[in-house]
Amino acid sequence: MATQTDTRVYQGEEKIIVAIDLGTTHTAVSFVHAYPGSDLDVRMVTRWKGQPEAAGDSKIPTLVTYEQGGMIACGAEAREYIGDEAYEVSRWFKLHLHPDSMKISDRPPAYDSDGNTSPSMEIPPLPSNVTLTKVYSDFMRYVFSGFRTFFQETTPNGVAIWDRLSSSIVIVLTIPNGWDTRQQGFLKQAAREADIVQSEEDADLRIDFVTEGEASVHYVLGKVNHRTWLKKGTMFAVTDAGGSTVDSTLYVCKALEPKLELEEVCASECVQAGGVFVDRAARALLTEKLANSRFGDSGSISDMVEKFEQRTKRVFDGSQESNVIEFGGRRDNDREYGIVQGKITLKESEVCTAFDGVIIRSTESCLKLLAGRKVKHLLLVGGFGESPYLRLRLKKEFELQGTEVVTVEEPSKKAAAEGAVMWYTKQTVSGRIARFTIGAEISVRFNPANPEHLKRRDQAFIKPSGDTSLRYGFQTIVEKGQLIPHNFSKLSRFVYSYAEKPESLDHFWQYLFAWEGEGEAEWMADADGKRLPNFRSLCCIEADLTPALAGLTRVTSEHGVEYWEGRWNVRCIYGGTKLQARLEWKVKGKTHQGPIKVVPTSVLK
């Protein structure tokens, strides 16, 4: 059984912490039973229903099989239905959740391109009459059930411990660097529908999120003796090459004592260039190569791609002149197309073609992260990170720049899962860099002497105060590239005016937006009121302001207009990857606080 022990003795209250790394092609689960005086012994779930041949394997296929909209199998059992037309197998469904910024600017190169073009995004469709939420909730229910069984059967007194602590289990979900509040909200909803948590409030309390990159750095530092190379001021990168994304983060060591403390140097990178796109390129290559062969049908090609993924891709290091894919039996022959006794051989150049586009994207992402900086080490983890060819190409590229590419000795497909529990217990990273600017839409007082305001006069309106204002202004809360310390908070002031005193303020709301462009944003829309392309809705913060009614004041404006004014402060708290907020207002000089509900914008169109 794979374990990872934290050298500190736990002194908190008894709890179970579970981490789920739900990947594009494979999923892994780690957990720890923490109680006062215990070592934090991180364990991996290594037994899964329907996967007896993989005893000791910590990963399962991320697959769900449906028959007429009903779920009938998950994981290894779901794989048995691939190719049977009576069933629909949902795979790579994680790609449906990727934000547009990844689907467009970070999409993988075309099969036959030089790696510099931007093809249309190809995502396997969902089964008929099945929503993405259902696929996720069905799979999460299966995963959590497998975890429960494994915990109860492998932990002394496991059933009793589970019965006592199951309602308070801390759940850590790993997410790509490029995901945000919208995807987090979707995963919470899926967890509720899977009955893993019981309510929205329960989800907010028990579910935490960590980026795959940050989980991986905790895993790596737990596996290698970092004190031999890590000193205060040392800068290093961690690249997690997974199934559908390659996540890279640059860190600087801020302290070694009394505990290791790391800080992000710049915004992390996340590109859609993982191992599944090598498989996709191999499928295109084989389909074209065997177009006129009797083995050019979809079923035969799928069998070849499966064997390519299971062996050829994993052992290829760029030196093999011949690369055999064993997909059939002795009677499967088509010598004209190089198929002999169920085997087809690919030349070195053909296999390189399948890899090259993805490796170009991965390398460019790392180069962007390291540009102009003295980085001594690049730590490579993840399932695709175990590819000998990827390792070779990265080493050739970066060791010329004085950056050593380092891999952990044992298989690292479970790096994010195991590292996520370590992240929760250690919290080594003390500061993160904002990947985009966060702010809110505001009105701007009209200034007739300002040429930009004159261009926007069609967007003008009269406020209850009598002031002429313009719509679509933007107030920055957190700037792109800004260092955000752990539990950083930012107070934003909002002023609302009312012609008459409202009888109720039970539904206050304010949308927060993400600006993914460069430079400072002053406006969210152009002069015609059309939303600028680099803006997207992030979440809505909602609150019951009924207690704040007493804080409204009657004001006379410079225009002689009497109106009511309310001043609310929204304090946004960024703890790790999760956004929280509090509402603040004043009554007779005394500050009051109230809860705010953060409602993510739907990730689904």
Short mmCIF file of all heavy atoms in Angstrom, two decimals, residues 405-462:
data_model
loop_
_atom_site.label_atom_id
_atom_site.label_comp_id
_atom_site.label_asym_id
_atom_site.label_seq_id
_atom_site.Cartn_x
_atom_site.Cartn_y
_atom_site.Cartn_z
N VAL A 405 16.06 19.33 -15.41
CA VAL A 405 14.75 18.70 -15.37
C VAL A 405 14.84 17.48 -14.46
O VAL A 405 15.64 16.57 -14.70
CB VAL A 405 14.28 18.29 -16.77
CG1 VAL A 405 12.93 17.56 -16.70
CG2 VAL A 405 14.16 19.53 -17.66
N VAL A 406 14.02 17.46 -13.40
CA VAL A 406 14.10 16.42 -12.38
C VAL A 406 12.78 15.67 -12.34
O VAL A 406 11.70 16.27 -12.40
CB VAL A 406 14.38 17.03 -10.99
CG1 VAL A 406 14.47 15.95 -9.93
CG2 VAL A 406 15.66 17.85 -11.03
N THR A 407 12.84 14.34 -12.23
CA THR A 407 11.64 13.53 -12.07
C THR A 407 11.78 12.71 -10.79
O THR A 407 12.88 12.36 -10.37
CB THR A 407 11.45 12.58 -13.26
OG1 THR A 407 12.61 11.76 -13.41
CG2 THR A 407 11.22 13.37 -14.55
N VAL A 408 10.63 12.39 -10.18
CA VAL A 408 10.67 11.55 -8.98
C VAL A 408 10.87 10.11 -9.40
O VAL A 408 10.52 9.71 -10.51
CB VAL A 408 9.36 11.71 -8.15
CG1 VAL A 408 9.26 13.10 -7.59
CG2 VAL A 408 8.16 11.39 -9.00
N GLU A 409 11.42 9.31 -8.49
CA GLU A 409 11.80 7.95 -8.83
C GLU A 409 10.59 7.04 -9.05
O GLU A 409 10.58 6.21 -9.94
CB GLU A 409 12.68 7.36 -7.73
CG GLU A 409 14.07 8.01 -7.66
CD GLU A 409 14.94 7.38 -6.60
OE1 GLU A 409 14.50 6.41 -5.98
OE2 GLU A 409 16.07 7.86 -6.39
N GLU A 410 9.55 7.20 -8.22
CA GLU A 410 8.41 6.30 -8.35
C GLU A 410 7.37 6.90 -9.28
O GLU A 410 7.37 8.10 -9.55
CB GLU A 410 7.80 6.01 -6.98
CG GLU A 410 7.28 7.24 -6.25
CD GLU A 410 6.77 6.86 -4.87
OE1 GLU A 410 7.59 6.81 -3.94
OE2 GLU A 410 5.56 6.64 -4.75
N PRO A 411 6.46 6.07 -9.82
CA PRO A 411 5.45 6.58 -10.73
C PRO A 411 4.68 7.74 -10.11
O PRO A 411 4.29 7.68 -8.95
CB PRO A 411 4.53 5.37 -10.97
CG PRO A 411 5.42 4.19 -10.75
CD PRO A 411 6.37 4.60 -9.65
N SER A 412 4.47 8.79 -10.89
CA SER A 412 3.88 10.01 -10.32
C SER A 412 2.48 10.29 -10.85
O SER A 412 2.01 11.41 -10.77
CB SER A 412 4.79 11.20 -10.62
OG SER A 412 5.00 11.35 -12.02
N LYS A 413 1.81 9.28 -11.40
CA LYS A 413 0.45 9.50 -11.89
C LYS A 413 -0.47 9.95 -10.77
O LYS A 413 -1.48 10.59 -10.99
CB LYS A 413 -0.09 8.22 -12.52
CG LYS A 413 0.63 7.78 -13.79
CD LYS A 413 -0.02 6.54 -14.36
CE LYS A 413 0.72 6.00 -15.58
NZ LYS A 413 2.01 5.44 -15.25
N LYS A 414 -0.12 9.59 -9.54
CA LYS A 414 -0.95 9.94 -8.41
C LYS A 414 -0.44 11.19 -7.68
O LYS A 414 -0.87 11.48 -6.57
CB LYS A 414 -1.00 8.77 -7.43
CG LYS A 414 0.35 8.40 -6.81
CD LYS A 414 0.23 7.17 -5.94
CE LYS A 414 1.50 6.87 -5.17
NZ LYS A 414 2.68 6.68 -5.98
N ALA A 415 0.46 11.94 -8.30
CA ALA A 415 1.08 13.08 -7.63
C ALA A 415 0.06 14.07 -7.12
O ALA A 415 0.12 14.53 -5.97
CB ALA A 415 2.06 13.77 -8.59
N ALA A 416 -0.92 14.45 -7.97
CA ALA A 416 -1.89 15.45 -7.55
C ALA A 416 -2.78 14.93 -6.44
O ALA A 416 -3.10 15.65 -5.50
CB ALA A 416 -2.73 15.90 -8.75
N ALA A 417 -3.20 13.66 -6.53
CA ALA A 417 -4.09 13.10 -5.50
C ALA A 417 -3.39 13.04 -4.15
O ALA A 417 -3.91 13.50 -3.12
CB ALA A 417 -4.55 11.71 -5.91
N GLU A 418 -2.20 12.47 -4.12
CA GLU A 418 -1.47 12.35 -2.85
C GLU A 418 -1.03 13.71 -2.35
O GLU A 418 -1.10 14.02 -1.16
CB GLU A 418 -0.26 11.43 -3.05
CG GLU A 418 0.39 11.01 -1.74
CD GLU A 418 1.38 9.87 -1.92
OE1 GLU A 418 1.22 9.08 -2.87
OE2 GLU A 418 2.31 9.78 -1.11
N GLY A 419 -0.60 14.56 -3.28
CA GLY A 419 -0.15 15.89 -2.89
C GLY A 419 -1.26 16.76 -2.36
O GLY A 419 -1.02 17.69 -1.56
N ALA A 420 -2.52 16.51 -2.78
CA ALA A 420 -3.64 17.34 -2.33
C ALA A 420 -3.88 17.19 -0.84
O ALA A 420 -4.19 18.18 -0.15
CB ALA A 420 -4.89 16.98 -3.11
N VAL A 421 -3.76 15.97 -0.31
CA VAL A 421 -3.91 15.78 1.14
C VAL A 421 -2.75 16.45 1.87
O VAL A 421 -2.93 17.10 2.91
CB VAL A 421 -3.99 14.29 1.50
CG1 VAL A 421 -3.87 14.08 3.00
CG2 VAL A 421 -5.30 13.69 0.99
N MET A 422 -1.54 16.31 1.32
CA MET A 422 -0.38 16.96 1.93
C MET A 422 -0.54 18.47 1.92
O MET A 422 -0.16 19.16 2.87
CB MET A 422 0.89 16.53 1.18
CG MET A 422 1.15 15.03 1.25
SD MET A 422 2.37 14.47 0.05
CE MET A 422 3.83 15.25 0.71
N TRP A 423 -1.11 19.00 0.82
CA TRP A 423 -1.40 20.44 0.75
C TRP A 423 -2.31 20.87 1.89
O TRP A 423 -2.08 21.88 2.55
CB TRP A 423 -2.05 20.77 -0.59
CG TRP A 423 -2.70 22.13 -0.63
CD1 TRP A 423 -2.10 23.32 -0.86
CD2 TRP A 423 -4.08 22.42 -0.40
NE1 TRP A 423 -3.02 24.35 -0.80
CE2 TRP A 423 -4.25 23.81 -0.52
CE3 TRP A 423 -5.21 21.64 -0.10
CZ2 TRP A 423 -5.48 24.45 -0.36
CZ3 TRP A 423 -6.43 22.26 0.05
CH2 TRP A 423 -6.56 23.64 -0.07
N TYR A 424 -3.37 20.10 2.12
CA TYR A 424 -4.33 20.47 3.16
C TYR A 424 -3.69 20.49 4.54
O TYR A 424 -4.01 21.34 5.37
CB TYR A 424 -5.52 19.51 3.14
CG TYR A 424 -6.62 19.90 4.09
CD1 TYR A 424 -7.61 20.80 3.68
CD2 TYR A 424 -6.67 19.40 5.38
CE1 TYR A 424 -8.62 21.19 4.55
CE2 TYR A 424 -7.68 19.78 6.27
CZ TYR A 424 -8.65 20.67 5.84
OH TYR A 424 -9.64 21.06 6.72
N THR A 425 -2.79 19.55 4.79
CA THR A 425 -2.20 19.45 6.13
C THR A 425 -0.98 20.34 6.32
O THR A 425 -0.65 20.72 7.44
CB THR A 425 -1.80 17.99 6.43
OG1 THR A 425 -0.83 17.56 5.46
CG2 THR A 425 -3.01 17.08 6.37
N LYS A 426 -0.30 20.70 5.21
CA LYS A 426 0.95 21.47 5.35
C LYS A 426 0.83 22.94 4.97
O LYS A 426 1.49 23.79 5.57
CB LYS A 426 2.05 20.83 4.49
CG LYS A 426 2.54 19.49 5.01
CD LYS A 426 3.74 19.01 4.19
CE LYS A 426 4.33 17.73 4.78
NZ LYS A 426 5.54 17.30 4.04
N GLN A 427 0.05 23.24 3.92
CA GLN A 427 -0.11 24.62 3.45
C GLN A 427 1.25 25.30 3.27
O GLN A 427 1.55 26.34 3.84
CB GLN A 427 -0.97 25.42 4.44
CG GLN A 427 -2.39 24.90 4.56
CD GLN A 427 -3.24 25.20 3.35
OE1 GLN A 427 -3.07 26.21 2.69
NE2 GLN A 427 -4.15 24.30 3.02
N THR A 428 2.09 24.71 2.43
CA THR A 428 3.44 25.22 2.22
C THR A 428 3.47 26.52 1.42
O THR A 428 4.32 27.37 1.62
CB THR A 428 4.29 24.14 1.49
OG1 THR A 428 4.37 22.98 2.33
CG2 THR A 428 5.68 24.64 1.18
N VAL A 429 2.52 26.68 0.49
CA VAL A 429 2.51 27.87 -0.37
C VAL A 429 1.80 29.00 0.34
O VAL A 429 0.62 28.89 0.69
CB VAL A 429 1.84 27.56 -1.72
CG1 VAL A 429 1.79 28.80 -2.60
CG2 VAL A 429 2.58 26.44 -2.43
N SER A 430 2.50 30.10 0.55
CA SER A 430 1.94 31.23 1.31
C SER A 430 1.45 32.36 0.43
O SER A 430 0.78 33.27 0.91
CB SER A 430 3.01 31.77 2.28
OG SER A 430 4.13 32.26 1.56
N GLY A 431 1.77 32.33 -0.85
CA GLY A 431 1.34 33.41 -1.73
C GLY A 431 1.17 32.92 -3.15
O GLY A 431 1.99 32.15 -3.66
N ARG A 432 0.10 33.38 -3.80
CA ARG A 432 -0.19 32.98 -5.18
C ARG A 432 -0.36 34.21 -6.05
O ARG A 432 -0.72 35.28 -5.57
CB ARG A 432 -1.46 32.12 -5.22
CG ARG A 432 -1.34 30.86 -4.39
CD ARG A 432 -2.68 30.22 -4.12
NE ARG A 432 -2.51 29.02 -3.27
CZ ARG A 432 -2.47 29.06 -1.95
NH1 ARG A 432 -2.57 30.21 -1.31
NH2 ARG A 432 -2.31 27.94 -1.27
N ILE A 433 -0.12 34.04 -7.34
CA ILE A 433 -0.23 35.15 -8.29
C ILE A 433 -1.57 35.06 -9.02
O ILE A 433 -1.94 34.00 -9.52
CB ILE A 433 0.92 35.12 -9.31
CG1 ILE A 433 2.28 35.22 -8.60
CG2 ILE A 433 0.76 36.25 -10.33
CD1 ILE A 433 2.52 36.54 -7.89
N ALA A 434 -2.28 36.19 -9.07
CA ALA A 434 -3.57 36.22 -9.76
C ALA A 434 -3.38 36.01 -11.26
O ALA A 434 -2.57 36.69 -11.89
CB ALA A 434 -4.27 37.55 -9.49
N ARG A 435 -4.14 35.08 -11.84
CA ARG A 435 -4.03 34.77 -13.27
C ARG A 435 -4.80 35.76 -14.12
O ARG A 435 -4.59 35.86 -15.32
CB ARG A 435 -4.58 33.36 -13.55
CG ARG A 435 -3.67 32.24 -13.08
CD ARG A 435 -4.33 30.88 -13.30
NE ARG A 435 -4.80 30.69 -14.66
CZ ARG A 435 -4.05 30.22 -15.65
NH1 ARG A 435 -2.78 29.93 -15.43
NH2 ARG A 435 -4.56 30.06 -16.87
N PHE A 436 -5.74 36.50 -13.51
CA PHE A 436 -6.51 37.49 -14.24
C PHE A 436 -6.97 38.56 -13.25
O PHE A 436 -6.88 38.39 -12.03
CB PHE A 436 -7.73 36.86 -14.94
CG PHE A 436 -8.49 35.88 -14.08
CD1 PHE A 436 -9.35 36.32 -13.07
CD2 PHE A 436 -8.34 34.52 -14.26
CE1 PHE A 436 -10.04 35.43 -12.28
CE2 PHE A 436 -9.04 33.61 -13.48
CZ PHE A 436 -9.89 34.07 -12.48
N THR A 437 -7.42 39.69 -13.78
CA THR A 437 -7.92 40.78 -12.95
C THR A 437 -9.37 40.49 -12.56
O THR A 437 -10.17 40.03 -13.37
CB THR A 437 -7.85 42.11 -13.71
OG1 THR A 437 -6.47 42.43 -13.94
CG2 THR A 437 -8.49 43.24 -12.93
N ILE A 438 -9.69 40.75 -11.29
CA ILE A 438 -11.06 40.56 -10.79
C ILE A 438 -11.62 41.94 -10.42
O ILE A 438 -10.93 42.76 -9.80
CB ILE A 438 -11.08 39.64 -9.57
CG1 ILE A 438 -10.54 38.25 -9.94
CG2 ILE A 438 -12.49 39.52 -9.00
CD1 ILE A 438 -10.40 37.31 -8.74
N GLY A 439 -12.84 42.20 -10.81
CA GLY A 439 -13.45 43.48 -10.48
C GLY A 439 -14.95 43.45 -10.64
O GLY A 439 -15.56 42.40 -10.85
N ALA A 440 -15.57 44.64 -10.55
CA ALA A 440 -17.02 44.75 -10.61
C ALA A 440 -17.42 45.89 -11.55
O ALA A 440 -16.66 46.84 -11.75
CB ALA A 440 -17.60 45.00 -9.22
N GLU A 441 -18.60 45.76 -12.11
CA GLU A 441 -19.12 46.83 -12.95
C GLU A 441 -19.64 47.98 -12.08
O GLU A 441 -20.33 47.75 -11.09
CB GLU A 441 -20.26 46.31 -13.83
CG GLU A 441 -20.84 47.35 -14.76
CD GLU A 441 -21.95 46.82 -15.63
OE1 GLU A 441 -22.06 45.59 -15.77
OE2 GLU A 441 -22.73 47.65 -16.15
N ILE A 442 -19.30 49.22 -12.45
CA ILE A 442 -19.74 50.39 -11.70
C ILE A 442 -20.22 51.45 -12.70
O ILE A 442 -19.97 51.37 -13.90
CB ILE A 442 -18.61 50.98 -10.84
CG1 ILE A 442 -17.41 51.38 -11.72
CG2 ILE A 442 -18.19 50.02 -9.74
CD1 ILE A 442 -16.35 52.18 -11.00
N SER A 443 -20.92 52.44 -12.18
CA SER A 443 -21.26 53.60 -13.00
C SER A 443 -20.21 54.68 -12.76
O SER A 443 -19.64 54.79 -11.66
CB SER A 443 -22.65 54.13 -12.64
OG SER A 443 -22.72 54.50 -11.28
N VAL A 444 -19.93 55.45 -13.80
CA VAL A 444 -18.90 56.49 -13.74
C VAL A 444 -19.56 57.85 -13.96
O VAL A 444 -20.33 58.02 -14.93
CB VAL A 444 -17.83 56.24 -14.83
CG1 VAL A 444 -16.78 57.34 -14.80
CG2 VAL A 444 -17.18 54.87 -14.63
N ARG A 445 -19.27 58.79 -13.09
CA ARG A 445 -19.87 60.13 -13.23
C ARG A 445 -19.44 60.76 -14.54
O ARG A 445 -18.25 60.80 -14.87
CB ARG A 445 -19.47 61.01 -12.05
CG ARG A 445 -20.21 62.35 -12.02
CD ARG A 445 -19.99 63.05 -10.71
NE ARG A 445 -20.77 64.29 -10.65
CZ ARG A 445 -20.84 65.08 -9.58
NH1 ARG A 445 -20.18 64.73 -8.48
NH2 ARG A 445 -21.56 66.18 -9.60
N PHE A 446 -20.41 61.26 -15.30
CA PHE A 446 -20.15 61.81 -16.63
C PHE A 446 -19.37 63.12 -16.53
O PHE A 446 -19.72 64.02 -15.76
CB PHE A 446 -21.47 62.04 -17.36
CG PHE A 446 -21.32 62.63 -18.73
CD1 PHE A 446 -20.79 61.87 -19.77
CD2 PHE A 446 -21.66 63.95 -18.98
CE1 PHE A 446 -20.65 62.40 -21.04
CE2 PHE A 446 -21.52 64.50 -20.24
CZ PHE A 446 -21.00 63.72 -21.28
N ASN A 447 -18.30 63.22 -17.32
CA ASN A 447 -17.48 64.43 -17.39
C ASN A 447 -17.48 64.91 -18.84
O ASN A 447 -16.82 64.32 -19.69
CB ASN A 447 -16.06 64.13 -16.92
CG ASN A 447 -15.14 65.34 -17.02
OD1 ASN A 447 -15.58 66.45 -17.34
ND2 ASN A 447 -13.85 65.14 -16.74
N PRO A 448 -18.21 65.98 -19.16
CA PRO A 448 -18.31 66.43 -20.55
C PRO A 448 -16.99 66.89 -21.15
O PRO A 448 -16.87 67.03 -22.37
CB PRO A 448 -19.32 67.58 -20.47
CG PRO A 448 -19.28 68.03 -19.05
CD PRO A 448 -18.99 66.82 -18.24
N ALA A 449 -15.97 67.13 -20.29
CA ALA A 449 -14.67 67.55 -20.81
C ALA A 449 -13.79 66.38 -21.19
O ALA A 449 -12.70 66.55 -21.73
CB ALA A 449 -13.95 68.41 -19.76
N ASN A 450 -14.26 65.16 -20.90
CA ASN A 450 -13.50 63.95 -21.19
C ASN A 450 -13.93 63.39 -22.54
O ASN A 450 -15.10 63.00 -22.71
CB ASN A 450 -13.72 62.92 -20.08
CG ASN A 450 -12.82 61.70 -20.21
OD1 ASN A 450 -12.57 61.22 -21.31
ND2 ASN A 450 -12.35 61.20 -19.08
N PRO A 451 -13.04 63.32 -23.55
CA PRO A 451 -13.42 62.83 -24.88
C PRO A 451 -13.98 61.40 -24.85
O PRO A 451 -14.90 61.08 -25.61
CB PRO A 451 -12.10 62.88 -25.67
CG PRO A 451 -11.28 63.90 -24.96
CD PRO A 451 -11.64 63.77 -23.52
N GLU A 452 -13.43 60.54 -23.98
CA GLU A 452 -13.93 59.18 -23.89
C GLU A 452 -15.37 59.17 -23.38
O GLU A 452 -16.21 58.39 -23.85
CB GLU A 452 -13.04 58.35 -22.96
CG GLU A 452 -13.44 56.89 -22.82
CD GLU A 452 -13.33 56.11 -24.12
OE1 GLU A 452 -12.46 56.46 -24.96
OE2 GLU A 452 -14.11 55.15 -24.30
N HIS A 453 -15.68 60.06 -22.45
CA HIS A 453 -17.04 60.14 -21.92
C HIS A 453 -18.01 60.62 -23.00
O HIS A 453 -19.15 60.15 -23.09
CB HIS A 453 -17.09 61.07 -20.72
CG HIS A 453 -16.50 60.46 -19.48
ND1 HIS A 453 -16.88 60.83 -18.20
CD2 HIS A 453 -15.55 59.49 -19.32
CE1 HIS A 453 -16.18 60.12 -17.31
NE2 HIS A 453 -15.36 59.31 -17.98
N LEU A 454 -17.56 61.55 -23.83
CA LEU A 454 -18.41 62.07 -24.90
C LEU A 454 -18.75 60.95 -25.89
O LEU A 454 -19.87 60.89 -26.40
CB LEU A 454 -17.72 63.23 -25.61
CG LEU A 454 -17.61 64.53 -24.79
CD1 LEU A 454 -16.80 65.57 -25.56
CD2 LEU A 454 -19.00 65.08 -24.45
N LYS A 455 -17.78 60.07 -26.17
CA LYS A 455 -18.04 58.96 -27.07
C LYS A 455 -19.08 58.00 -26.49
O LYS A 455 -19.78 57.31 -27.23
CB LYS A 455 -16.75 58.18 -27.36
CG LYS A 455 -15.78 58.90 -28.28
CD LYS A 455 -14.69 57.96 -28.79
CE LYS A 455 -13.85 57.39 -27.67
NZ LYS A 455 -12.73 56.55 -28.20
N ARG A 456 -19.19 57.99 -25.17
CA ARG A 456 -20.06 57.04 -24.49
C ARG A 456 -21.37 57.69 -24.01
O ARG A 456 -22.09 57.09 -23.19
CB ARG A 456 -19.31 56.42 -23.29
CG ARG A 456 -18.10 55.59 -23.69
CD ARG A 456 -17.32 55.10 -22.48
NE ARG A 456 -16.23 54.21 -22.88
CZ ARG A 456 -16.36 52.89 -23.04
NH1 ARG A 456 -17.52 52.31 -22.78
NH2 ARG A 456 -15.34 52.16 -23.42
N ARG A 457 -21.70 58.88 -24.50
CA ARG A 457 -22.87 59.58 -23.94
C ARG A 457 -24.18 58.84 -24.20
O ARG A 457 -25.18 59.07 -23.51
CB ARG A 457 -22.94 61.01 -24.47
CG ARG A 457 -22.97 61.18 -25.97
CD ARG A 457 -23.09 62.67 -26.33
NE ARG A 457 -22.95 62.87 -27.77
CZ ARG A 457 -21.82 63.18 -28.36
NH1 ARG A 457 -20.72 63.35 -27.64
NH2 ARG A 457 -21.76 63.35 -29.68
N ASP A 458 -24.21 57.94 -25.21
CA ASP A 458 -25.42 57.15 -25.43
C ASP A 458 -25.68 56.18 -24.28
O ASP A 458 -26.79 55.62 -24.17
CB ASP A 458 -25.32 56.37 -26.74
CG ASP A 458 -25.44 57.27 -27.96
OD1 ASP A 458 -25.87 58.44 -27.79
OD2 ASP A 458 -25.09 56.82 -29.07
N GLN A 459 -24.66 55.94 -23.45
CA GLN A 459 -24.80 55.04 -22.31
C GLN A 459 -25.07 55.80 -21.01
O GLN A 459 -24.99 55.22 -19.93
CB GLN A 459 -23.52 54.19 -22.15
CG GLN A 459 -23.07 53.46 -23.40
CD GLN A 459 -24.12 52.51 -23.92
OE1 GLN A 459 -24.89 51.95 -23.16
NE2 GLN A 459 -24.18 52.36 -25.24
N ALA A 460 -25.40 57.07 -21.12
CA ALA A 460 -25.61 57.90 -19.94
C ALA A 460 -27.01 57.68 -19.35
O ALA A 460 -27.95 57.33 -20.07
CB ALA A 460 -25.40 59.38 -20.29
N PHE A 461 -27.13 57.89 -18.06
CA PHE A 461 -28.42 57.83 -17.37
C PHE A 461 -28.37 58.76 -16.15
O PHE A 461 -27.29 59.17 -15.71
CB PHE A 461 -28.75 56.40 -16.94
CG PHE A 461 -27.85 55.85 -15.86
CD1 PHE A 461 -28.26 55.82 -14.53
CD2 PHE A 461 -26.57 55.37 -16.16
CE1 PHE A 461 -27.44 55.33 -13.53
CE2 PHE A 461 -25.74 54.87 -15.17
CZ PHE A 461 -26.17 54.85 -13.85
N ILE A 462 -29.52 59.11 -15.62
CA ILE A 462 -29.62 60.01 -14.48
C ILE A 462 -29.84 59.18 -13.22
O ILE A 462 -30.80 58.41 -13.13
CB ILE A 462 -30.76 61.03 -14.65
CG1 ILE A 462 -30.62 61.78 -15.98
CG2 ILE A 462 -30.77 62.01 -13.47
CD1 ILE A 462 -29.35 62.58 -16.10
#
